[in-house]
Amino acid sequence: MPLPANFDHLDADALRQLLLEQERELVWRQSKIERLTHELALYRRQRYGVRAERLSAEQARLFEETTDADLAAMSEALEQLQPDSKAQTAKGQARRKALPPELPRTEIRHEPESTTCACGCQMRRIGEDVAEKLDYTPGHFTVERHIRGKWACAQCQSLVQAPVAAHIIDKGIPTAGLLAQVMVAKYQDHLPLYRQEGIFGRAGLAIPQSTLAQWVGQCGVHLQPLVDALKAELLAHPVLHADETPVAMLEPGAGKTHRAYLWSYSVGAFDPLKAV
C-alpha cells in the first residue's frame, strides 16, 4: 500500500490506523503468496510427475491444457503479488523465435507528440525499437510491427521516445484480438486448445497447445475483476436459480474417480440482466 501524499501531516491516531491497514495488507499478501506457491507446487507435481492414470489421447490433451492454464494463472497471480519478480525472471528467459517472415505485416508507428527539446533545440531521430505482435482474423495471421522512433537532442543529450502501449500479456506476442479468438473459441465454441492448434496450423502458424494454455491462464487472471463484478451483481438480486451437475472427478495419482458437483447460479429468465 503506497503512503498518502500528506503522510508528514498525519496525527498519531491516523498514523496508527495507516500502519494497521498496511500490516493487514502485508499479512494478506504473504498468506496469498504462500497459498499460491503451495498450489503451484502441487500442480507442477501433478502435471510433470509420473501418473498412474491411463487416459485416452483426447482426455490426456484436455487434462494437460487445463493444468497448463492453471499453472500459468497461478504464476501470473504470483508475479502480480511480487512486482520485482518480473525483472528477476526476465533475465533467465529464453529468446523468443521470430515470427515467420512470410506472414503479411502492417507497420504501426509511434512517435513523440513533440520533437522539440525542452531547451528549444530540434531533436534528431537516431533509431527505433520494433516490437512484433501476432494478430489473427478467422483463416489467416497477420503481424503488427510497432515502431517507436528514438529522438535525441545533441545540445542537452536527452532522449525522447513514445511510451510502450499497454498489453494484456506483458512482452508477449499475441494481440488482444488473437487472445479474444482463443478465449471465445475455447469457452463459447467449446474448441479444445489442441484443436485450435490444428486450426492455426492450417492458417500458417501452429501455435503449440502449451503456449495457448499459458495465454488462457494469464487472461483468466486479468479477467478476474470482471468475474468479481459479475458475482457481486448476481448476489445483489433477491432471487437466484441454482442447479447442480454431478461429475466424476479424477483423483490425481490414484487412478480412481469420486463423485463431485458443479454448481451454476443464474438470475431469472425475465430479468433484464442476463448473467450466469
Side-chain angles (χ1 to χ4, degrees), residues 95-211:
R95 187 175 179 84
R96 183 189 298 127
K97 290 176 61 177
L99 293 171
E102 65 271 14
L103 293 179
R105 281 161 164 75
T106 302
E107 290 191 354
I108 303 174
R109 296 190 171 272
H110 308 270
E111 301 293 353
E113 294 183 0
S114 172
T115 56
T116 302
C117 184
C119 68
C121 297
Q122 178 62 37
M123 307 181 87
R124 184 171 60 89
R125 203 173 194 276
I126 60 170
E128 62 189 24
D129 288 330
V130 179
E132 293 196 332
K133 300 290 179 181
L134 184 66
D135 198 19
Y136 178 83
T137 54
H140 66 278
F141 284 104
T142 56
V143 177
E144 291 182 354
R145 284 174 54 83
H146 293 265
I147 302 172
R148 298 165 53 242
K150 297 179 180 179
W151 295 79
C153 175
Q155 184 68 27
C156 59
Q157 303 296 315
S158 60
L159 179 70
V160 173
Q161 192 174 29
V164 178
H167 295 285
I168 298 174
I169 298 179
D170 187 35
K171 298 180 182 178
I173 63 167
T175 63
L178 176 54
L179 293 173
Q181 169 67 32
V182 173
M183 299 294 282
V184 171
K186 177 174 173 61
Y187 293 107
Q188 183 68 26
D189 300 330
H190 309 293
L191 276 176
L193 298 180
Y194 70 87
R195 291 184 181 171
Q196 292 193 51
E197 180 180 350
I199 292 171
F200 290 148
R202 292 194 297 273
L205 182 61
I207 304 173
Q209 172 189 336
S210 58
T211 300

Side-chain angles (χ1 to χ4, degrees), residues 64-79:
E64 289 171 1
E65 73 179 40
T66 302
T67 307
D68 287 341
D70 289 342
L71 283 169
M74 284 185 282
S75 299
E76 180 72 16
L78 274 172
E79 285 189 355

Side-chain angles (χ1 to χ4, degrees), residues 46-63:
Q46 181 177 330
R47 174 66 177 86
Y48 301 111
V50 178
R51 297 198 300 272
E53 302 88 40
R54 293 295 179 263
L55 304 176
S56 66
E58 289 78 11
Q59 285 178 317
R61 289 193 188 107
L62 290 173
F63 175 83

Side-chain angles (χ1 to χ4, degrees), residues 218-237:
Q218 290 170 298
C219 285
V221 173
H222 291 290
L223 288 171
Q224 189 61 45
L226 184 61
V227 176
D228 296 338
L230 179 64
K231 178 181 177 181
E233 192 69 31
L234 272 173
L235 295 179
H237 283 69

